[in-house]
Amino acid sequence: PLPYDPAQARKLLDAAGWADRDGDGVREKDGRPFRFTATVRQGSGMPELAVYVQEFLRRVGIMMEVEVIEPALTWERLSSGDFEALFMVVQSGVFAQLRDFGRDNTIGYDNEAAFEIIDRLQTEADPDEQDRLYRRLTDIYRSDMQVTRLIPWSNEWFVHRRVRGMSTPFRAEPDTYMEELWVEE
């Protein structure tokens, strides 16, 4: 994970040639302001998160506008690439990876090495090997994708000890795997 370090961010932006030359609070380079629009889905908590991120970017001289769209448009925008930046939830876990970044993904991601790791994760039972594979997959994603994780996504479940069939990492979400759970007598 990248550390939160506004001073270091300012230094890196300066070194890359992005400076506030006209004193308006927004960095420029080659006459272009560092300004972009982030698209967020209405009613998802993302507009509030976007405003939070917007403030932190403003502090280092980056202007992020926020465009709120209807939920039904989110995947259409993602698939078409009609956005500058998009706030969305990308789930973790092998099934989410398979759906969102596997061979038949909707966003056009194409990396055979990542596909092979995702395929292996579907059958790998050893937690240490799973961890190693997820670390390799993370390295591939970091080099391939222009994606920044802003916040970790986590769900916390409180389930009575009589509920059986839950296991991590694959079946730890009772709302998703309800048909595979049972209550011990």
Side-chain angles (χ1 to χ4, degrees):
L2 299 172
Y4 174 72
D5 189 343
Q8 180 66 14
R10 285 186 203 94
K11 287 178 188 175
L12 291 170
L13 288 164
D14 288 339
W18 290 97
D20 182 10
R21 292 175 180 81
D22 60 9
D24 68 352
V26 179
R27 292 173 179 272
E28 304 92 22
K29 181 177 179 180
D30 301 328
R32 283 188 20 241
F34 200 147
R35 180 183 313 265
F36 67 96
T37 300
T39 303
V40 299
R41 189 180 79 165
Q42 178 183 13
S44 62
M46 291 298 164
E48 294 83 0
L49 176 62
V51 169
Y52 184 74
V53 171
Q54 181 183 48
E55 172 59 20
F56 285 106
L57 291 174
R58 185 197 60 74
R59 292 178 186 179
V60 296
I62 300 170
M63 178 60 68
M64 181 182 86
E65 302 294 332
V66 178
E67 174 194 26
V68 180
I69 63 172
E70 296 291 324
L73 296 176
T74 306
W75 283 107
E76 180 183 315
R77 283 287 193 82
L78 177 66
S79 299
S80 70
D82 182 22
F83 61 90
E84 288 182 284
L86 181 66
F87 277 58
M88 64 178 298
V89 173
V90 178
Q91 297 174 328
S92 61
V94 68
F95 298 113
Q97 298 302 316
L98 181 62
R99 179 194 66 230
D100 297 339
F101 302 111
R103 293 181 199 285
D104 297 318
N105 65 77
T106 59
I107 63 171
Y109 180 65
D110 186 20
N111 182 313
E112 189 59 36
F115 295 161
E116 289 174 10
I117 292 172
I118 292 168
D119 291 345
R120 285 196 49 208
L121 282 165
Q122 292 181 77
T123 59
E124 183 57 58
D126 177 34
D128 292 330
E129 181 62 12
Q130 288 173 357
D131 185 57
R132 191 181 70 72
L133 290 169
Y134 273 117
R135 288 176 190 275
R136 282 187 43 214
L137 190 58
T138 297
D139 289 340
I140 290 171
Y141 286 169
R142 281 184 181 151
S143 66
D144 278 358
M145 294 187 195
Q146 299 298 311
V147 173
T148 301
R149 284 200 180 265
L150 298 172
I151 56 169
W153 184 263
S154 65
N155 289 326
E156 296 170 13
W157 300 99
F158 297 90
V159 180
H160 194 280
R161 65 180 166 268
R162 289 179 46 212
V163 174
R164 298 290 185 217
M166 292 180 59
S167 64
T168 54
F170 300 110
R171 291 182 178 80
E173 299 177 1
D175 63 337
T176 304
Y177 297 99
M178 187 66 68
E179 70 277 0
E180 298 181 31
L181 304 179
W182 69 93
V183 177
E184 187 176 73
E185 296 297 322

